[in-house]
Amino acid sequence: MTHHGDPRERFVVIDRFGDGLMHTILRLPDVKRSTGLSRSTIYLRIAQGTFPKPVSLGGRVVGWLEAEVQQWLRRRIEASRSESSGVGATLGAPRNF
């Protein structure tokens, strides 16, 4: 019997690239919860090069660096705030139907 573990598990990995930092790796349910995106949208954006690529954890198991997901979210927030038009800019404006 194969044990796949709890999909809500988070992995902490020590960075071996010389900065000595520990990194948290998020599994897909955490990434979906953090971003509000569906699985298919996450993988579509990865293919488009607009979302962080997952890290292979062995076999068919992947995860995302929490810092990269958070950075992606910050950029999306900044981009949505700086757009001159959009939902936020039209709130309260009269609508013509």
Side-chain angles (χ1 to χ4, degrees), residues 72-88:
W72 180 86
L73 283 167
R74 280 191 298 277
R75 281 186 286 201
R76 293 298 309 142
I77 292 167
E78 290 168 6
S80 72
R81 299 286 190 254
S82 66
E83 293 173 355
S84 61
S85 64
V87 175

Side-chain angles (χ1 to χ4, degrees), residues 19-95:
D19 63 11
L21 298 175
M22 294 180 66
H23 298 282
T24 301
I25 297 186
L26 304 175
R27 298 296 305 278
L28 184 59
D30 289 321
V31 175
K32 289 170 53 179
R33 197 171 13 266
S34 295
T35 63
L37 300 175
S38 69
R39 177 189 185 281
S40 59
T41 300
I42 289 168
Y43 281 101
L44 174 65
R45 291 188 179 185
I46 291 168
Q48 294 170 336
T50 61
F51 193 81
K53 291 182 179 179
V55 175
S56 175
L57 301 174
R60 294 174 33 162
V61 180
V62 298
W64 285 259
L65 289 173
E66 182 177 41
E68 291 181 356
V69 173
Q70 291 302 316
Q71 181 182 40
W72 180 86
L73 283 167
R74 280 191 298 277
R75 281 186 286 201
R76 293 298 309 142
I77 292 167
E78 290 168 6
S80 72
R81 299 286 190 254
S82 66
E83 293 173 355
S84 61
S85 64
V87 175
T90 60
L91 286 177
R95 297 176 68 179

